[in-house]
Amino acid sequence: MIIRKSPPEIERMAKSGELVARSLAVVGAAIAPGVTTAELDALVEEFIRSHGAEPTFKGYRGYPASICASPNSTVVHGIPGGYKLAEGDILSVDVGVTLNGFVGDGAFTFPVGEITPEARELLETCRAALAAGVEQARVGNRLTDISHAVQTTTESAHFSVVRTLVGHGVGRAMHEDPQIPNYGEPGRGPELREGMTLAIEPMITAGSPDVYVHEDEWSISSADDSLAAHFEHTIAITESGPRILTTAPDIDLAAIAGLLVS
Ligand code: MF3
Ligand code: CO
């Protein structure tokens, strides 16, 4: 069952989402060669708690940290630890914030210093795939219009969509119905309606679409160890179109990360 939110509930979700965007900006400002992913996690946990909110991920099914930090070929769910960022890395960072009973969920893949042209194209493609998916999140469209837009944007650039991982509804719980595949024929699945709140999250690789789970039982990497990217927004479907909730008026993550300015 898809739980639709009232306008006041969407305003509350926008507050959670704003803290997600600000958390990602904290990460973006701190990223540099030599910094560990555990240090980034500590910064974000402190930032979230200092705003009277909770890091949604911490303790979720036993997950031990406040962010997921997934370097290079790790697609998602990398556990922060002693890994030291190096010049040329890419780092996908996923953050969940619970505030006033509602969850915001967002992710961004950051370059560390200078990255290869292929890595840059992977990041820009994943960002564009997210934007294309969000653009389809409109009253009257069907769910897989989002999926199809993500897939075509990704595959036009000759990258691969990871098929075993999906986006999701989000609200009082981090994971609500529906699941949102990042591939598929358009025009299928539930009709999109006002008040639906969705976490749209393309996860793409520069090589194989297949993935494996590490021994830590969380980290998921590309099967061929090709580079992977992950961008995610929580959005609300309004009568006037998609509204991105994981954003803040004064924050431009792309500018912080040195990606193409949107
Ligand atoms: N954004 C991720 C998701 O939608 C967050 C889950 S990671 C966990 O699945 F650490 F919380 F499990
Ligand atoms: Co998510």
Side-chain angles (χ1 to χ4, degrees):
M1 184 201 44
I2 300 177
I3 304 167
R4 294 159 69 205
K5 282 74 177 181
S6 66
E9 288 174 327
I10 289 172
E11 292 313 316
R12 282 159 74 170
M13 288 189 65
K15 295 282 184 222
S16 311
E18 178 174 342
L19 278 182
V20 169
R22 294 194 186 286
S23 298
L24 289 169
V26 165
V27 172
I31 276 185
V35 172
T36 68
T37 54
E39 288 164 352
L40 297 174
D41 181 64
L43 284 175
V44 169
E45 178 166 6
E46 166 60 23
F47 179 81
I48 292 171
R49 293 194 192 282
S50 74
H51 286 78
E54 298 280 322
T56 313
F57 297 175
K58 198 156 195 174
Y60 176 83
R61 298 188 180 201
Y63 188 75
S66 298
I67 65 172
C68 300
S70 307
N72 299 324
S73 62
T74 303
V75 186
V76 287
H77 301 172
I79 300 177
Y83 182 80
K84 264 192 171 56
L85 297 174
E87 177 87 17
D89 280 354
I90 60 174
L91 182 73
S92 298
V93 178
D94 195 343
V95 183
V97 170
T98 307
L99 179 66
N100 293 320
F102 283 94
V103 175
D105 188 5
F108 196 95
T109 303
F110 295 93
V112 182
E114 276 306 308
I115 60 174
T116 65
E118 194 200 23
R120 187 163 290 276
E121 195 192 349
L122 182 76
L123 301 198
E124 294 296 1
T125 299
C126 196
R127 262 178 90 206
L130 173 57
V134 168
E135 181 54 31
Q136 292 301 314
R138 294 181 179 277
V139 173
N141 277 2
R142 303 276 288 264
L143 185 75
T144 67
D145 294 331
I146 298 171
S147 312
H148 186 72
V150 168
Q151 179 182 17
T152 54
T153 305
T154 303
E155 293 181 354
S156 306
H158 306 289
F159 295 126
S160 302
V161 157
V162 174
R163 294 180 175 228
T164 51
L165 299 165
V166 294
H168 50 93
V170 53
R172 290 185 185 274
M174 175 161 65
H175 293 139
E176 296 182 352
D177 285 343
Q179 293 197 350
I180 312 174
N182 287 309
Y183 69 97
E185 292 299 311
R188 309 280 167 84
E191 237 183 72
L192 300 180
R193 296 178 64 189
E194 193 178 347
M196 289 181 176
T197 46
L198 307 175
I200 300 175
E201 46 180 325
M203 292 156 271
I204 75 171
T205 79
S208 170
D210 298 330
V211 295
Y212 68 94
V213 183
H214 290 239
E215 272 175 15
D216 64 16
E217 295 181 0
W218 280 103
S219 315
I220 298 179
S221 289
S222 58
D224 59 1
D225 287 321
S226 59
L227 288 180
H230 177 209
F231 285 75
E232 176 179 25
H233 274 311
T234 296
I235 63 104
I237 299 179
T238 76
E239 65 175 17
S240 56
R243 174 177 170 193
I244 294 174
L245 301 178
T246 37
T247 190
D250 56 324
I251 284 185
D252 185 342
L253 290 174
I256 292 172
L259 300 182
L260 297 175
V261 176
S262 27

